[in-house]
Amino acid sequence: MITRTVSKNPRTTRGDLVNDLQRAGTKVTKATISNTLRRQGLKSCSARRVPLLKPVHVQARLKFAREHLDDPEEDWENVIWSDETKIELFGKNSTRRVWRRKNAELHPKNTIPTVKHGGGNIMLWGCFSAKGPGRLIRVKERMNRAMYHEILSDNLLPSTRALKMKRGWVFQHDNDPKHTARATKEWLRKKHVKVLEWPSQSPDLNPIENLWRELNVRVAQRQPQNITALEEICMEEWAKIPATRWHWWIGLLRHIDQWRAAYCPGLDPLIDACDPVQPLP
């Protein structure tokens, strides 16, 4: 009964199972339930957060996968990826483990200071390709279409030249309204920028998410104490990320099982192969 119940509803808690069994006339402890499930190969894990997908999104992702699954490596190496991200001064990325004695959890050496709303944050725009990092800038005002055009003009085009992108390079950005506005499309057309058609609700497919994760970890390790230091450290750590990382992240796109899992989320055996933010090699 226990295994059948959690297989049908993985969100069932041990307390729920204890109560169900008691109503059925069987008294068990939570430890017994854990041991029983563990013997069946089941363990308690944090539910993975994934984009909310409607059927139209699933179909768009599947179409994208089929169109690009067999693309040669050199095609992906000629894509420049972009995105915006927010990095907090004292946020969840500052989590650390410490060695401490019992009842010493509140000793200053064993704590991490926190403030409401993360103590402030900065918004960043960045881009990269398999060849390395493009520019990273801080967006100090609320971004609108005009500002986005300025960012692309001042940073995307210089980045492609610095990275020595081949003729016919392709630009990737998501379907944010600023990115898909008619004025933006016209600006990109005039600049002769070819844009990678991108399925909606697919931030998990963008390899730059791996980059943001590593940047967050690196920044947290530096423990910036104010917004100015946060910005400086972001720029420094961005430049320090090893060249092998950039190429490796692009290589993830060619992993067939990841593609299948990403576009067919109903296939349970493949879900574990679909972590969009992969561990570092």
Side-chain angles (χ1 to χ4, degrees), residues 63-111:
K63 177 176 180 290
F64 181 82
R66 287 171 173 165
E67 290 176 349
H68 296 285
L69 185 58
D70 298 321
D71 286 359
E73 184 175 353
E74 52 266 27
D75 283 7
W76 293 117
E77 291 178 350
N78 210 33
V79 176
I80 188 160
W81 307 84
S82 72
D83 195 18
E84 301 92 35
T85 193
K86 182 185 293 183
I87 297 187
E88 294 183 347
L89 182 58
F90 298 112
K92 61 182 180 180
N93 298 302
S94 295
T95 301
R96 283 188 187 79
R97 303 185 73 85
V98 297
W99 293 99
R100 63 172 177 81
R101 298 185 184 278
K102 186 177 180 180
N103 299 324
E105 63 271 17
L106 296 180
H107 190 285
K109 291 194 299 184
N110 299 329
T111 63

Side-chain angles (χ1 to χ4, degrees), residues 2-233:
I2 295 175
T3 304
R4 184 170 62 251
T5 300
V6 299
S7 296
K8 184 176 180 180
N9 181 10
R11 298 183 182 182
T12 303
T13 66
R14 292 184 304 169
D16 293 335
L17 292 169
V18 167
N19 293 333
D20 290 344
L21 288 168
Q22 283 182 341
R23 284 192 289 269
T26 303
K27 186 175 182 180
V28 298
T29 65
K30 291 182 179 179
T32 299
I33 288 174
S34 294
N35 292 333
T36 300
L37 292 174
R38 193 175 296 113
R39 286 195 295 271
Q40 298 299 318
L42 297 168
K43 62 179 182 178
S44 178
C45 304
S46 297
R48 180 168 298 173
R49 294 183 180 274
V50 298
L52 176 62
L53 299 178
K54 297 179 180 179
V56 65
H57 299 139
V58 174
Q59 290 302 314
R61 288 158 67 97
L62 183 59
K63 177 176 180 290
F64 181 82
R66 287 171 173 165
E67 290 176 349
H68 296 285
L69 185 58
D70 298 321
D71 286 359
E73 184 175 353
E74 52 266 27
D75 283 7
W76 293 117
E77 291 178 350
N78 210 33
V79 176
I80 188 160
W81 307 84
S82 72
D83 195 18
E84 301 92 35
T85 193
K86 182 185 293 183
I87 297 187
E88 294 183 347
L89 182 58
F90 298 112
K92 61 182 180 180
N93 298 302
S94 295
T95 301
R96 283 188 187 79
R97 303 185 73 85
V98 297
W99 293 99
R100 63 172 177 81
R101 298 185 184 278
K102 186 177 180 180
N103 299 324
E105 63 271 17
L106 296 180
H107 190 285
K109 291 194 299 184
N110 299 329
T111 63
I112 295 175
T114 62
V115 295
K116 288 184 177 180
H117 312 300
N121 59 70
I122 60 174
M123 179 67 70
L124 301 174
W125 177 93
C127 63
F128 86 105
S129 78
K131 297 181 179 180
R135 292 191 177 181
L136 178 71
I137 65 163
R138 178 182 174 186
V139 182
K140 295 185 177 181
E141 301 175 17
R142 184 170 182 175
M143 189 186 297
N144 54 28
R145 284 176 291 183
M147 180 181 293
Y148 186 59
H149 299 169
E150 184 177 342
I151 288 173
L152 296 183
S153 180
D154 294 345
N155 300 281
L156 172 63
L157 301 181
S159 292
T160 61
R161 291 191 288 269
L163 292 169
K164 298 181 179 179
M165 301 294 289
K166 294 180 181 178
R167 183 182 297 273
W169 59 271
V170 178
F171 175 54
Q172 183 278 338
H173 59 177
D174 60 28
N175 293 310
D176 182 283
K178 297 183 293 294
H179 304 170
T180 58
R182 181 179 300 178
T184 301
K185 291 182 177 179
E186 181 63 17
W187 185 92
L188 291 167
R189 187 190 66 79
K190 289 181 178 179
K191 297 296 181 180
H192 307 289
V193 176
K194 183 179 179 181
V195 178
L196 178 65
E197 186 175 350
W198 195 249
S200 297
Q201 284 294 89
S202 300
D204 56 319
L205 303 183
N206 191 342
I208 204 170
E209 295 300 327
N210 296 277
L211 169 57
W212 294 141
R213 182 188 215 182
E214 176 155 346
L215 182 63
N216 268 295
V217 170
R218 287 170 171 266
V219 170
Q221 290 172 345
R222 296 278 299 275
Q223 296 183 307
Q225 298 299 306
N226 54 61
I227 292 296
T228 299
L230 177 61
E231 180 179 357
E232 292 175 353
I233 289 173

